[in-house]
Amino acid sequence: MLINNIEAGLWDWFCYVKIYKERKNFMKKIGLVPRLIISIMLGILLGLILPSPIIRIFVTFSSLFSKYLSFIIPFMIIGFVVTGISDLRHGAGKLLGITTLLAYLSTIVAGTLSYLMAISIFPKILNFASFTTVEHPEKNLLTAYFDIPVAPMFDVTSAIIFAFIMGLSISWLRNNGEGQTTYNLFREFSKIITKLLSTSIIPLLPVYIFGTFMNMTYSGQIFATLSIFLKVFICVIILHILYTAGLFIFAGGLSGKNPFVCMKNQIPGYFTALGTQSSAATIPINIECAKRNGTSPEIREFVVPLCATIHLAGSIITITSCVVTVLMMHSMSYGISTIFPFIMVLGVAMVAAPGAPGGAIMSALPFLGMVGIASSSPMASLLIALYITQDSFGTAANVSGDNAIAIIVDWIYHKFIKK
């Protein structure tokens, strides 16, 4: 009897291990993008039918995971940006300036195109008499059962500045035959962050996204707001796609790479950003996309993390369109002399925003006075509602454009800088 029980127990364990391995292999086969799409669809579907106590379980997980992610993001920036800059043995300072300039110009061009689209199309397709004030989108969201305060050791801006200083300093030391010990320290730190991402961040992203979309659906945020501003969102998303495609076509024309293959390679990064609503959280996936595009390691590990914090083309397209829409609704001035200075300031003000979903519009709030909107007014709440509802698409456009810029910087590096 004892032997039979032992045999039965071993057989059960064998079956469990086999099923676990088969499940793990199956999850690997279907890939990250299908898992993210499934998570979004299930989140919306179950958010409509499940009771709030069950949804709050997943909301609690998403809340805790978000805190953990926010804690890791500054280390991620240091791990990738320091090694990326220090690997640039030639022209590190030049590449930093070139990348920053390209990112800023791209953001300003995107905002200007958004303004031109808004003033030429919105008056023809929108019935402003039918608009009503939308509640702040976070009001009806479910809260977590409990919260564990895990504050980042330092913020994103501090991490960027530290990474710039250390990366440029190490690059200078290595050009003078020194600094190898410091370089090895940060290189190994980068490997630790990469391992951390592959084991604890990326595998849990679908669950995090599932909880986020379930909560948004339960609150009524998705359908209620989209039903009112559907036409605005359609125009904004189309411009996101067209602008991103234009960046890749321009980058492909310079580098000789097929822009359509590059856009295909960007799909995993696009859907990851769509689910996480965070450029910073998409960095590891976006670096893999850059690798598929053939961007050199020293450039992709430098440009992608940097642009995740300074390139906000998708965000500024959305904010500009939404601001112009609200101004039109209230019969306020929306001339180029009013909007363009606002766009130029936003290109700088939103730099620290990508660390958190909805961060771009929160960074823009203090500057809404430039266009006549008080940051504490109902109009500002309307802008928050508009932006946060489609934040995923703006973030996806941001990160996709990052890899187009990486291709351009890689071409400049190998053609004009690398000796």
Side-chain angles (χ1 to χ4, degrees):
M1 180 66 70
L2 178 61
I3 294 176
N4 290 337
N5 288 338
I6 293 173
E7 288 178 350
L10 290 173
W11 175 252
D12 289 342
W13 174 252
F14 172 77
C15 292
Y16 170 79
V17 172
K18 186 177 180 181
I19 292 171
Y20 174 77
K21 288 182 177 179
E22 289 177 353
R23 175 184 171 276
K24 193 173 182 180
N25 291 332
F26 173 75
M27 295 302 287
K28 287 182 178 179
K29 286 180 181 178
I30 65 172
L32 180 62
V33 174
R35 277 183 279 164
L36 292 174
I37 295 174
I38 291 171
S39 298
I40 293 171
M41 294 175 64
L42 284 177
I44 294 174
L45 176 63
L46 295 179
L48 292 170
I49 60 178
L50 289 180
S52 59
I54 295 178
I55 296 177
R56 288 185 67 191
I57 296 174
F58 294 96
V59 171
T60 301
F61 172 83
S62 294
S63 175
L64 295 175
F65 184 83
S66 179
K67 293 286 182 65
Y68 173 62
L69 194 60
S70 298
F71 182 81
I72 296 296
I73 284 171
F75 295 112
M76 189 189 312
I77 292 171
I78 291 173
F80 288 136
V81 174
V82 171
T83 54
I85 296 177
S86 59
D87 278 336
L88 300 172
R89 301 292 292 274
H90 308 286
K94 292 179 181 178
L95 280 180
L96 177 60
I98 290 170
T99 304
T100 302
L101 179 62
L102 286 173
Y104 182 72
L105 288 176
S106 174
T107 302
I108 299 306
V109 170
T112 304
L113 291 175
S114 178
Y115 169 73
L116 295 175
M117 175 193 70
I119 62 173
S120 60
I121 296 178
F122 289 178
K124 299 176 183 178
I125 66 172
L126 300 178
N127 179 15
F128 293 108
S130 66
F131 280 94
T132 57
T133 303
V134 175
E135 248 184 340
H136 194 290
E138 294 183 351
K139 182 178 179 180
N140 297 321
L141 290 175
L142 295 173
T143 57
Y145 279 115
F146 62 91
D147 184 36
I148 300 176
V150 183
M153 294 181 67
F154 37 85
D155 60 28
V156 171
T157 305
S158 299
I160 295 170
I161 295 173
F162 177 78
F164 285 168
I165 293 172
M166 293 305 300
L168 291 171
S169 299
I170 294 171
S171 178
W172 172 75
L173 285 171
R174 296 183 74 203
N175 280 329
N176 289 280
E178 301 177 278
Q180 193 60 38
T181 301
T182 311
Y183 172 79
N184 290 338
L185 172 65
F186 282 98
R187 172 57 63 184
E188 291 182 2
F189 179 73
S190 177
K191 290 181 179 179
I192 292 172
I193 295 298
T194 302
K195 181 65 176 177
L196 188 66
L197 294 172
S198 64
T199 55
S200 66
I201 300 293
I202 295 175
L204 293 175
L205 276 179
V207 184
Y208 167 59
I209 292 166
F210 172 72
T212 301
F213 271 81
M214 187 186 295
N215 195 11
M216 290 171 64
T217 304
Y218 179 85
S219 71
Q221 175 182 327
I222 290 179
F223 299 111
T225 313
L226 281 179
S227 65
I228 299 172
F229 297 101
L230 182 60
K231 291 180 181 178
V232 175
F233 290 143
I234 290 174
C235 292
V236 166
I237 293 169
I238 289 174
L239 184 57
H240 283 163
I241 295 171
L242 290 177
Y243 185 75
T244 302
L247 281 179
F248 274 110
I249 291 171
F250 178 74
L254 283 178
S255 64
K257 296 179 179 178
N258 188 326
F260 299 101
V261 172
C262 293
M263 282 187 270
K264 179 183 176 182
N265 294 336
Q266 186 57 41
I267 291 175
Y270 185 91
F271 277 99
T272 301
L274 201 64
T276 62
Q277 299 180 316
S278 170
S279 298
T282 313
I283 289 173
I285 304 297
N286 225 25
I287 288 176
E288 285 299 314
C289 295
K291 183 178 180 181
R292 293 178 186 176
N293 289 338
T295 307
S296 57
E298 62 269 32
I299 296 298
R300 65 175 181 255
E301 292 183 4
F302 159 60
V303 174
V304 172
L306 174 60
C307 283
T309 61
I310 67 173
H311 182 234
L312 296 125
S315 297
I316 204 165
I317 284 173
T318 306
I319 291 177
T320 303
S321 294
C322 292
V323 165
V324 174
T325 301
V326 170
L327 293 176
M328 288 178 175
M329 289 167 54
H330 294 84
S331 302
M332 299 171 66
S333 172
Y334 53 88
I336 186 68
S337 60
T338 300
I339 301 299
F340 191 67
F342 176 68
I343 292 173
M344 294 189 69
V345 171
L346 279 192
V348 177
M350 294 190 301
V351 163
I361 187 62
M362 301 311 293
S363 297
L365 283 180
F367 305 97
L368 291 178
M370 295 179 65
V371 296
I373 300 175
S375 59
S376 58
S377 67
M379 286 188 287
S381 296
L382 177 59
L383 285 173
I384 295 172
L386 280 164
Y387 184 87
I388 293 181
T389 302
Q390 70 73 66
D391 188 25
S392 299
F393 295 97
T395 304
N398 291 342
V399 302
S400 298
D402 294 349
N403 264 329
I405 290 177
I407 293 171
I408 297 172
V409 174
D410 194 39
W411 174 77
I412 293 172
Y413 176 62
H414 286 93
K415 188 172 181 65
F416 300 106
I417 297 177
K418 189 174 182 179
K419 299 176 182 178

